[in-house]
Amino acid sequence: MKRNLSIAIAAIIALSTWSCSKNTPVDSDGLLITTRKECSVSSFELLGTDFVSVRVGAAVIDTVAQTVKCTVQFGTDLRNLYPQFSLAQDCKLTPKITGLTDFSDLTHPRQWTVISGDRKIQKTYTVTLTVQPR
Amino acid sequence: MMRNIIVLIGGLALFAASCKKSDYALPTPSTRLQNQAIKRTLGPNIVGQVIEFAYAGAILKGKLTSFQADATIAGGAGTYMEYRSFYTASTGADVGVPVGNPSVTKTTNTTVTFNVDTNAATLRYYYVVPEEARGKTVTITFTAKSSDGESISTVMGPYTVAKMDMKLNMKVTDNNAMYISIADTTVYNATDAAAHAGSIDLVYLYRNLTTSAFGHALVSPAADPAYLPGVTLPAGVNRSTKELKAFNLQDHNLAPTEQYGGIFIDDIDFQTIDLSNSPNYAINLKADAGVWCQTADGTYKAYIFFNSVATSGTATVSMKRYKLK
């Protein structure tokens, strides 16, 4: 009886260990590390505190020069903006965007780094804003 | 083996027992006087506004003689209890059936005395929140009495009355009534603004520019002149108000007719919102847009909502205001 119980417990532990094991690794953010090598920004949005876009026209993204150029409306509060990036599949962005971002220092544009799905390629994008004249 | 069978049978017995349902018995109605109340008004309790209750009483034997509402703080002018009991007609309209004399209010106490033979009624009670209740709590005790001398009560509350107040539907007009004072909750023209220069917090203006989306704007007098094109400020009007734009924050008190206006701004929103890093202007405002504000002296925070705008350079705005100190 005691032996049966031991076998049963051992089987359950083995089963649960096997079911938890993964073939695909995850990174420190818990995101899947894939084999993809694409590493780029596909679109860019900029929202004001009212969550309404402040862009004038579409942002110009140069994946070779690794730049994002965006014109914002006259009167935009540059200290309080929500940037939004769309990235190539499986990529991630660093530093993370956690809330309002200050873009007010136009002489020192903000930079973000895109990391590919396989986490081996990194490309740093510079985001330059231009304020529409009145 | 035998032991396992016993355990199995035991388990099945337990399962069967757990599924057994006790027979349903119809509840026996009480012959004593019964009562119940609900608060019909949603959202914060604001000074000058009405809190509506529905109070129901019923008895099997005898008849109702009176309904009474007793508030811990006397209601403001206009506090009353309906003397009609309402039912909903097939058309959906509420139809009132008089069951008593019009209510009599004496300080904290409002009473309706029944003058018909009825053993069940639901009456509405409208409590106008008085100035004395600002920032305090109010409790309403409803009492029903019957012909056999019985009495029963229900206590509703305590309800916290908001510290904030509000002003609805202020008309602003570019180049005329365009100077807004949060402290006075008033819109002034240039002449009156000069007389109240120390309390002017915002300037409303409308500019239809081809080069940028300026539109309707609320700008601090002290803002960069680029945001006040063509505006000559009255002497002494120079305050700088912090402003944070919002959109589609349709407070139900400020915009009661909005389809999706199920949001209520309350004291806690003013207490928690941080405007310290906000600019002193807000342009390109549209209908349903709003602006959180904090006055230069730090006395007030406010939320100004644009109920409607017109390209003629006018707008209707409503304001909730919270005194910080």
Side-chain angles (χ1 to χ4, degrees), chain B residues 120-137:
Chain B
T122 300
L123 301 185
R124 308 279 171 88
Y125 173 61
Y126 301 90
Y127 178 79
V128 178
V129 183
E131 181 61 42
E132 307 90 88
R134 189 185 297 279
K136 300 175 185 168
T137 58

Side-chain angles (χ1 to χ4, degrees), chain B residues 22-303:
Chain B
S22 54
D23 292 332
Y24 175 74
L26 280 172
T28 310
S30 168
T31 56
R32 301 180 67 84
L33 181 61
Q34 306 285 301
N35 76 154
Q36 198 164 43
I38 58 168
K39 179 173 179 276
R40 286 172 54 84
T41 307
L42 299 175
N45 308 304
I46 303 172
V47 171
Q49 302 297 301
V50 170
I51 309 176
E52 182 186 344
F53 296 88
Y55 180 59
I59 189 167
L60 270 181
K61 294 172 184 171
K63 59 181 182 178
L64 298 170
T65 55
S66 70
F67 278 5
Q68 179 181 307
D70 199 17
T72 50
I73 299 173
T79 294
Y80 74 103
M81 187 182 281
E82 253 302 345
Y83 63 96
R84 294 170 295 174
S85 189
F86 285 85
Y87 70 92
T88 305
S90 57
T91 58
D94 282 349
V95 180
V97 179
V99 293
N101 301 317
S103 65
V104 176
T105 299
K106 290 176 183 167
T107 61
T108 61
N109 185 296
T110 301
T111 307
V112 166
T113 304
F114 286 77
N115 59 12
V116 296
D117 186 353
T118 182
N119 64 349
T122 300
L123 301 185
R124 308 279 171 88
Y125 173 61
Y126 301 90
Y127 178 79
V128 178
V129 183
E131 181 61 42
E132 307 90 88
R134 189 185 297 279
K136 300 175 185 168
T137 58
V138 177
T139 301
I140 314 285
T141 303
F142 290 96
T143 304
K145 289 180 181 170
S146 65
S147 57
D148 61 1
E150 256 197 287
S151 173
I152 192 167
S153 294
T154 291
V155 177
M156 298 294 284
Y159 302 106
T160 300
V161 175
K163 284 176 68 181
M164 67 181 176
D165 46 23
M166 65 180 184
K167 181 84 175 274
L168 302 179
N169 300 324
M170 295 185 287
K171 306 283 183 195
V172 289
T173 306
D174 183 34
N175 209 26
N176 191 352
M178 59 191 288
Y179 299 97
I180 299 172
S181 167
I182 293 173
D184 302 343
T185 56
T186 304
V187 181
Y188 296 109
N189 60 23
T191 307
D192 294 335
H196 298 84
S199 65
I200 302 300
D201 301 295
L202 298 164
V203 181
Y204 165 79
L205 66 156
Y206 172 76
R207 296 290 180 271
N208 184 17
L209 306 179
T210 54
T211 49
S212 64
F214 197 100
H216 302 267
L218 289 180
V219 181
S220 290
D224 186 321
Y227 301 114
L228 290 164
V231 174
T232 303
L233 295 170
V237 174
N238 57 10
R239 301 184 95 189
S240 182
T241 305
K242 299 278 189 188
E243 296 180 58
L244 184 74
K245 285 170 73 173
F247 191 67
N248 264 345
L249 180 51
Q250 298 170 329
D251 176 89
H252 190 65
N253 294 126
L254 302 182
T257 58
E258 290 287 355
Q259 187 181 357
Y260 302 109
I263 301 164
F264 291 96
I265 292 171
D266 209 339
D267 286 358
I268 191 166
D269 299 301
F270 292 107
Q271 290 160 6
T272 53
I273 193 163
D274 181 8
L275 303 176
S276 59
N277 198 33
S278 298
N280 59 1
Y281 61 87
I283 69 169
N284 194 20
L285 300 168
K286 301 174 173 67
D288 289 339
V291 181
W292 294 94
C293 307
Q294 182 167 347
T295 58
D297 57 7
T299 304
Y300 291 102
K301 278 184 183 172
Y303 178 72

Side-chain angles (χ1 to χ4, degrees), chain A residues 23-40:
Chain A
N23 295 324
T24 319
V26 292
D27 65 12
S28 56
D29 293 320
L31 299 171
L32 212 58
I33 298 174
T34 66
T35 56
R36 292 183 181 277
K37 298 192 179 301
E38 296 93 333
C39 185
S40 62

Side-chain angles (χ1 to χ4, degrees), chain A residues 1 49-52 73-80 100 102 132-134, chain B residues 209 211-212 214 225-227 229 244-247 277-279 281 283-284:
Chain A
M1 183 63 183
T49 55
D50 52 1
F51 301 104
V52 175
Q73 293 169 353
F74 170 74
T76 297
D77 175 16
L78 297 175
R79 288 181 298 175
N80 296 298
L100 289 167
D102 188 348
Q132 179 190 35
R134 192 182 78 188
Chain B
L209 306 179
T211 49
S212 64
F214 197 100
Y227 301 114
L244 184 74
K245 285 170 73 173
F247 191 67
N277 198 33
S278 298
Y281 61 87
I283 69 169
N284 194 20

Side-chain angles (χ1 to χ4, degrees), chain A residues 41-133:
Chain A
V41 172
S42 52
S43 70
F44 179 74
E45 178 60 281
L46 206 53
L47 306 178
T49 55
D50 52 1
F51 301 104
V52 175
S53 176
V54 296
R55 280 186 298 105
V56 179
V60 178
I61 300 164
D62 187 331
T63 54
V64 177
Q66 293 164 210
T67 58
V68 176
K69 291 182 179 172
C70 184
T71 303
V72 299
Q73 293 169 353
F74 170 74
T76 297
D77 175 16
L78 297 175
R79 288 181 298 175
N80 296 298
L81 291 171
Y82 294 105
Q84 291 180 338
F85 291 85
S86 294
L87 308 176
Q89 194 170 349
D90 297 343
C91 290
K92 71 173 188 177
L93 196 70
T94 186
K96 295 182 180 71
I97 298 166
T98 55
L100 289 167
T101 304
D102 188 348
F103 284 88
S104 59
D105 188 354
L106 296 176
T107 56
H108 295 92
R110 304 290 304 231
Q111 292 186 318
W112 279 271
T113 299
V114 183
I115 304 170
S116 64
D118 65 2
R119 303 294 183 260
K120 290 176 182 169
I121 303 168
Q122 298 193 356
K123 290 186 177 176
T124 299
Y125 277 72
T126 302
V127 179
T128 307
L129 300 192
T130 307
V131 180
Q132 179 190 35

